[in-house]
Amino acid sequence: MLVVYLSRDYLIGMAMWLVALGLFIAVLLRARQRAHQKPRRLMVVNAGLSFGMLLILLTAGELGFACFADFSDTFSVSNVSKRWLAVHVEGEKNENGFRDRNELTTFVPGGKKRIIFLGDSFTAGHGIRRMEDRFTDLIAARFEREQPGRFVVANMALPAYDALAVAALARAELLQKHYEMAACVYVYNLNDVDTFDPNTAQSLKAIQSSEPTFFLFRDTYLLNWLYVRLVAFRSAGTQSYYENLRRSYESEPWKRVQRLLTNLHRQCVDQGVDFRMVIFPFVRDVGESYPFRTAHARIVDFCKAEKIPVLDLEPVFRPHAGEDLVVSRFDAHPNERAHAIAAEAIEDQLLGDFFQPPPSQKHPDI
């Protein structure tokens, strides 16, 4: 239950508020009984009761959000979205610190082949309540149906990871410790360049700094959510963020990411690890006027030059532009439908060689 995630201070504060609100209404009701013969006093008391009813409605809404609201937003600024992450990401991490039910061991038992997916919130499944609805888990399920017991799929992705964090994770946790894996797949998101671009970093900071300081908006759920929505509606930070992000692929930040990916690819090759990439678009914007198509093309050209097997999902999603592909109006992460589309494309176009049955299972030609 979501109630267990409410802080002790919140519960104490809410209890004190309910007592105070109850006393306020009780005093006004008693005063109303005594004010029947005094029209002016009765008018003031009735105004106070109307205000009290408004406070009761706001309190009921606040309690409803505090106890039942379970959804995310794009940048996880609101308290509701932060709690969603605590419940569905932090609360579902394995011993290695990733949102995956399987423990990540150095060696794969039983002679199985392991495919490890690296990435950020798109790969971790931000906004996806059930892990089995993520594209990595859908791929694992198909492996188990078609080639039971032969493959293990691991999800090593965390929200807010960028290219630098992914590369550091791959080197420190996988390559240096010699994790056994048949393939390492980096699911690249367009904002993975953030760490190298001060302009996008500044825009992102402007979005995240919109968190309130006044306690009624800072420490609540409904009022906090309304405040965040109002700030997002009035702010130009989001628009400047995406524009700066688009420009980063025309300048030095993208060059630095290229060098990072080149080194990571070579380190994988040196250890006999098959390194592949998936480019995940911003699914809310896919269509003929998709603003990041040039950036996708640059990434694909780089991968081809480096001989990195790559799958660009933007052309895959383009025919689905009219569909509902995002978690919600307030969360632009890919939803279950988008994850299913991505899973099918990755299976067929990037991991097709793994889905070929082993020689012992192939039927001889007649």
Side-chain angles (χ1 to χ4, degrees):
M1 293 181 61
L2 299 179
V3 177
V4 301
Y5 289 89
L6 298 177
S7 69
R8 181 171 176 268
D9 290 342
Y10 180 89
L11 293 173
I12 292 174
M14 178 56 70
M16 294 175 62
W17 167 250
L18 291 174
V19 171
L21 183 59
L23 290 174
F24 177 68
I25 297 297
V27 169
L28 287 176
L29 289 175
R30 179 169 293 185
R32 190 171 186 273
Q33 293 176 349
R34 297 174 180 176
H36 283 296
Q37 305 301 323
K38 300 177 181 180
R40 289 186 178 178
R41 181 177 296 181
L42 182 61
M43 184 182 300
V44 173
V45 172
N46 285 338
L49 284 172
S50 297
F51 180 66
M53 292 302 296
L54 176 61
L55 292 178
I56 290 174
L57 289 175
L58 286 174
T59 302
E62 169 63 23
L63 285 172
F65 257 62
C67 297
F68 301 107
D70 187 27
F71 52 84
S72 56
D73 61 51
T74 300
F75 295 101
S76 288
V77 177
S78 69
N79 289 336
V80 170
S81 186
K82 291 176 182 177
R83 183 174 61 185
W84 190 95
L85 287 176
V87 174
H88 298 285
V89 177
E90 297 297 328
E92 294 182 338
K93 286 183 177 179
N94 59 16
E95 295 181 0
N96 309 98
F98 300 99
R99 192 187 182 196
D100 198 323
R101 291 192 177 94
N102 300 316
E103 182 182 355
L104 189 68
T105 56
T106 306
F107 299 101
V108 184
K112 299 179 181 180
K113 292 183 178 180
R114 178 165 57 192
I115 300 174
I116 295 180
F117 284 87
L118 306 175
D120 62 1
S121 55
F122 277 45
T123 307
H126 184 108
I128 305 296
R129 286 187 173 87
R130 304 191 325 151
M131 280 192 283
E132 52 265 38
D133 291 328
R134 300 180 304 178
F135 67 85
T136 56
D137 298 75
L138 293 171
I139 292 170
R142 179 175 167 184
F143 270 125
E144 195 58 30
R145 287 195 307 270
E146 297 186 4
Q147 301 183 51
R150 294 193 65 241
F151 286 91
V152 175
V153 176
N155 187 312
M156 292 183 65
L158 287 175
Y161 262 32
D162 53 27
L164 187 62
V166 167
L169 171 68
R171 286 194 298 265
E173 295 298 324
L174 298 179
L175 299 176
Q176 292 181 9
K177 295 181 181 179
H178 300 284
Y179 272 75
E180 183 181 351
M181 50 185 162
C184 178
V185 182
Y186 178 13
V187 184
Y188 186 88
N189 195 347
L190 273 293
N191 62 8
D192 285 2
V193 72
D194 277 352
T195 190
F196 297 118
D197 190 345
N199 293 321
T200 56
Q202 184 176 1
S203 299
L204 185 60
K205 184 179 180 180
I207 295 170
Q208 295 173 335
S209 65
S210 62
E211 297 187 28
T213 56
F214 182 54
F215 77 99
L216 273 180
F217 300 124
R218 183 193 63 213
D219 302 329
T220 56
Y221 286 86
L222 174 60
L223 295 179
N224 171 266
W225 186 81
L226 292 173
Y227 175 89
V228 169
R229 297 272 66 80
L230 177 62
V231 170
F233 177 76
R234 298 175 58 183
S235 174
T238 302
Q239 294 179 352
S240 65
Y241 171 75
Y242 287 108
E243 178 58 23
N244 288 329
L245 185 63
R246 185 187 64 79
R247 291 176 180 174
S248 67
Y249 285 92
E250 302 170 357
S251 54
E252 181 62 23
W254 166 233
K255 293 178 182 178
R256 296 180 66 180
V257 172
Q258 290 182 68
R259 292 193 289 269
L260 192 73
L261 294 175
T262 297
N263 291 333
L264 178 58
H265 177 221
R266 290 174 182 173
Q267 288 171 348
C268 287
V269 171
D270 289 343
Q271 294 199 22
V273 176
D274 191 349
F275 181 72
R276 307 183 185 191
M277 287 185 62
V278 174
I279 309 170
F280 217 119
F282 295 119
V283 292
R284 173 174 284 175
D285 300 321
V286 292
E288 293 304 320
S289 59
Y290 181 61
F292 291 95
R293 187 164 293 127
T294 301
H296 280 255
R298 286 193 171 99
I299 301 170
V300 170
D301 290 343
F302 161 77
C303 289
K304 290 181 178 179
E306 288 292 323
K307 295 182 172 53
I308 301 173
V310 61
L311 169 62
D312 184 7
L313 289 177
E314 189 273 325
V316 174
F317 279 107
R318 199 181 307 167
H320 301 276
E323 299 181 24
D324 182 12
L325 298 174
V326 297
V327 171
S328 71
R329 178 183 176 185
F330 306 110
D331 189 347
H333 286 86
N335 62 11
E336 291 83 354
R337 170 60 177 156
H339 274 258
I341 294 171
E344 183 177 358
I346 294 170
E347 291 164 0
D348 296 338
Q349 300 182 42
L350 188 71
L351 301 178
D353 52 328
F354 288 107
F355 279 96
Q356 296 295 325
S360 60
Q361 295 181 10
K362 293 182 178 179
H363 298 287
D365 295 333
I366 298 177

